Amino acid sequence: MTDLVLRDAEVVDGSGADSYRADVAIDDGRIVSIVKEAAAAGCQRPTGTRILDAEGLALAPGFIDMHAHSDLALLRDPDHSAKAAQGVTLEVLGQDGLSYAPVDDRTLDEVRRAITGWNGDGSDLDLDWRTVGEYLDRLDRGIAVNAAYLIPQGTVRMYAMGWENRPATDAELVRMKQLVAEGMEQGAVGMSSGLTYTPGMYAPDAELTALCRVVARYGGYYCPHHRSYGAGALEAYAETVALTRDAGCALHLAHATMNFGVNKGRAPELLSLLDRALDEGADITLDTYPYTPGCTTLAAVLPSWAHEGGPEALLARLRDEATAERIRHHLEELGSDGCHGVPVDWNTIEISGVTNPGLTPFVGHRVPDWPTARRLLLDDRLGSTILHHVGHEENVRAIMRHRVHTGGSDGILQGAKPHPRAYGTFPEYLGRYVREEGVLTLEECVAHLTSRPAARLRLQDRGLVREGYRADLVLFDPQTVAAGATYETPRTLPTGIPHVLIDGKFVIENSRRTDVLAGRSVRRTAG
């Protein structure tokens, strides 16, 4: 007798193959038997301590969020229903080149301030780790969902050489390579960059290539937020394709889209570029979220030169009238590199969160002009987050159909009015783009959200409903699954996902979060 039998489920197994009806038995955290069409065939049906009637529900592998910003949220909020209720059983952290390991005391203090808008400042937590391995050990004390980690290249650069806008010295590059190697040895699955975020964006291609060679030596992948998603976006994608091919490193393109007016309708050009590289043998995957606006910090749109020296140096420049005018000129007239080379259109920038309670009235409103933006940056000490309304629906649809596409929420959980993708990405794919609009079939979509990311992460026992695989599973109703989160009510949980299991344990049961903390770190495996 097994621990649990899911009876008469419609199994969408993650491979992309047609679904089938089956009883699925789970024991000791793994799938131990799958009996197809058990009732109709008159087969001996598996028995278990518990039998769950899954008739009318689709059974799929747990969804893998390839781009998550839950680095502190998993520690702060044991409930973490924002992801668990979506059917997410694994998140990939350490994104966009900025996270909390490896660090020393100075670097930790600086990175906390730099990405307060993403994760809070961490003052409510005991940040008692310094290495990648120690951070993963902290996760292993028990978290809501599983988590893998990318070494953040910007943090590594900050650790080795501060916030200086120059090439690394030989000694500094050796130190960065050492930090990346140590992180990979301790279980990271790859390295990320934020090439419109400082200080990571100060790195020239030769430096990035050298670090990617280290990642490749351990079988990891490189996940860049590119130098531009606006003017020069295609060139930025081509840069990372060429760079990783030179380094012999697998490439995963973060939130791969084409934004701003200059790229309306140009997704086919990106996909052609990727198809040529794939046909020539490149190892490439990508992720997207099914929404048009982006989400980041207000400070991120500023020119990179203004950030040199770190957050306090940026605040000093903003306080100086002459330097602030120079920043405005780059933003509004030249197009700053932080704003993807496009002159800023303030009407596209909506404040989604602030850390200073006195600025709460700005949340949910567009930024009218530079004086208002400057005031927010100073009074909120760079902590304000934004929704950036610069995407195009036709680009989103085209890219999600691609043969190497996976799902990633890019979910930032901070702020009074976060992007709904944090709570809605995976049911939005299943409800809107599968059931309502038929952009993908159910089987295709589940493969995008499960087996494809598992293959990128080199997971041998996740991403499929197979005997011997881990019982990280989601049961959902294909007829009702939908994102509850909207731009007006972004923290609303989805509907139609009654059960989610991690390691064979219910983390969502009858649409309610249990008290189970079955998540652990998922570390790079050799081979």
Side-chain angles (χ1 to χ4, degrees):
M1 181 174 290
T2 60
D3 294 334
L4 173 67
V5 175
L6 306 175
R7 181 153 288 175
D8 289 324
E10 189 67 23
V11 177
V12 187
D13 69 4
S15 70
D18 290 345
S19 65
Y20 58 87
R21 193 178 178 91
D23 291 356
V24 177
I26 296 164
D27 197 63
D28 196 25
R30 292 188 178 269
I31 299 169
V32 293
S33 72
I34 301 173
V35 181
K36 295 184 178 181
E37 301 291 349
C43 299
Q44 178 67 40
R45 306 191 79 166
T47 59
T49 303
R50 177 177 177 183
I51 306 292
L52 177 67
D53 181 2
E55 186 171 5
L57 297 177
L59 174 66
F63 304 137
I64 298 176
D65 188 343
M66 286 296 288
H67 193 105
H69 288 284
S70 302
D71 308 51
L72 298 185
L74 278 167
L75 303 177
R76 177 182 293 119
D77 177 20
D79 182 83
H80 202 50
S81 288
K83 294 301 180 65
Q86 293 186 60
V88 171
T89 58
L90 171 60
E91 297 183 273
V92 184
L93 312 177
Q95 299 289 347
D96 296 330
L98 290 167
S99 190
Y100 304 93
V103 292
D104 56 11
D105 290 350
R106 171 191 62 82
T107 307
L108 179 59
D109 180 63
E110 291 177 350
V111 77
R112 281 174 56 190
R113 288 190 291 163
I115 54 175
T116 292
W118 293 357
N119 298 299
D121 68 5
S123 59
D124 56 329
L125 296 167
D126 180 10
L127 308 187
D128 59 353
W129 63 85
R130 293 297 179 267
T131 69
V132 170
E134 289 168 352
Y135 175 68
L136 297 177
D137 288 346
R138 178 69 175 274
L139 298 179
D140 282 339
R141 298 180 195 174
I143 48 179
V145 304
N146 296 310
Y149 189 73
L150 295 166
I151 300 162
Q153 171 260 329
T155 301
V156 166
R157 197 173 212 266
M158 194 188 308
Y159 192 158
M161 57 181 292
W163 292 76
E164 296 188 43
N165 183 3
R166 59 171 176 80
T169 66
D170 290 346
E172 288 164 343
L173 182 57
V174 167
R175 180 60 174 141
M176 284 189 272
K177 291 165 66 175
Q178 179 186 37
L179 290 167
V180 171
E182 290 171 354
M184 294 300 296
E185 288 168 1
Q186 292 163 10
V189 295
M191 181 180 76
S192 74
S193 283
L195 299 179
T196 65
Y197 298 127
T198 55
M201 69 188 297
Y202 297 145
D205 284 0
E207 182 180 309
L208 297 172
T209 301
L211 298 181
C212 283
R213 289 193 175 115
V214 177
V215 173
R217 195 161 70 235
Y218 291 92
Y221 68 91
Y222 180 45
C223 180
H225 165 123
H226 317 292
R227 295 195 190 273
S228 177
Y229 292 87
L234 286 175
E235 291 80 2
Y237 282 108
E239 171 196 17
T240 57
V241 169
L243 185 156
T244 48
R245 294 196 72 177
D246 182 37
C249 187
L251 173 64
H252 181 82
L253 304 172
H255 37 58
T257 190
M258 299 283 286
N259 288 337
F260 300 89
V262 294
N263 290 317
K264 183 176 174 61
R266 296 187 69 190
E269 296 176 59
L270 167 62
L271 300 180
S272 293
L273 183 158
L274 299 181
D275 282 334
R276 288 193 298 272
L278 288 162
D279 292 344
E280 292 168 1
D283 184 358
I284 301 172
T285 49
L286 60 87
D287 67 67
T288 68
Y289 46 83
Y291 300 89
T292 52
C295 180
T296 187
T297 61
L298 180 58
V301 305
L302 303 182
S304 59
W305 59 261
H307 293 262
E308 188 172 5
E312 289 303 320
L314 172 56
L315 288 167
R317 292 185 180 103
L318 287 165
R319 284 190 290 267
D320 179 77
E321 293 295 337
T323 310
E325 170 55 24
R326 184 180 169 210
I327 292 171
R328 184 210 63 78
H329 176 71
H330 276 254
L331 272 171
E332 294 186 344
E333 299 177 38
L334 300 181
S336 82
D337 48 5
C339 199
H340 305 270
V342 177
V344 68
D345 176 358
W346 293 115
N347 189 53
T348 65
I349 295 180
E350 176 187 354
I351 300 299
S352 60
V354 293
T355 59
N356 179 345
L359 301 173
T360 299
F362 287 95
V363 174
H365 295 282
R366 306 296 173 109
V367 176
D369 50 30
W370 167 242
T372 304
R374 183 186 176 196
R375 175 190 168 187
L376 282 163
L377 290 161
L378 287 168
D379 291 356
D380 209 21
R381 293 187 59 79
L382 313 180
S384 302
T385 52
I386 63 170
L387 298 183
H388 207 177
H389 296 269
V390 291
H392 306 286
E393 180 68 18
E394 64 269 42
N395 287 349
V396 170
R397 290 167 180 261
I399 294 169
M400 74 170 64
R401 293 188 185 102
H402 195 263
R403 53 176 160 153
V404 298
H405 171 265
T406 69
S409 71
D410 197 9
I412 294 173
L413 298 167
Q414 289 294 116
K417 194 173 180 287
H419 197 304
R421 68 194 185 190
Y423 284 73
T425 286
F426 296 86
E428 183 78 353
Y429 271 120
L430 296 167
R432 179 180 177 188
Y433 288 98
V434 172
R435 182 183 64 249
E436 296 176 6
E437 304 194 15
V439 176
L440 296 168
T441 69
L442 180 60
E443 290 86 353
E444 287 172 335
C445 186
V446 168
H448 288 215
L449 307 181
T450 59
S451 63
R452 286 189 189 176
R456 167 51 72 219
L457 296 168
R458 303 178 69 178
L459 304 178
Q460 302 301 312
D461 58 358
R462 287 182 169 91
L464 293 167
V465 180
R466 290 281 190 274
E467 291 180 357
Y469 274 56
R470 288 182 180 271
D472 292 356
L473 301 166
V474 54
L475 282 155
F476 63 93
D477 183 346
Q479 302 306 313
T480 63
V481 62
T486 66
Y487 294 103
E488 291 71 32
T489 58
R491 296 187 185 276
T492 307
L493 297 178
T495 56
I497 305 178
H499 304 292
V500 181
L501 297 93
I502 294 178
D503 204 30
K505 305 176 181 69
F506 285 91
V507 295
I508 299 290
E509 187 173 9
N510 297 317
S511 301
R512 298 178 66 87
R513 177 73 171 94
T514 70
D515 61 2
V516 170
L517 295 175
R520 298 294 185 271
S521 70
V522 174
R523 308 192 189 209
R524 180 193 64 84
T525 56

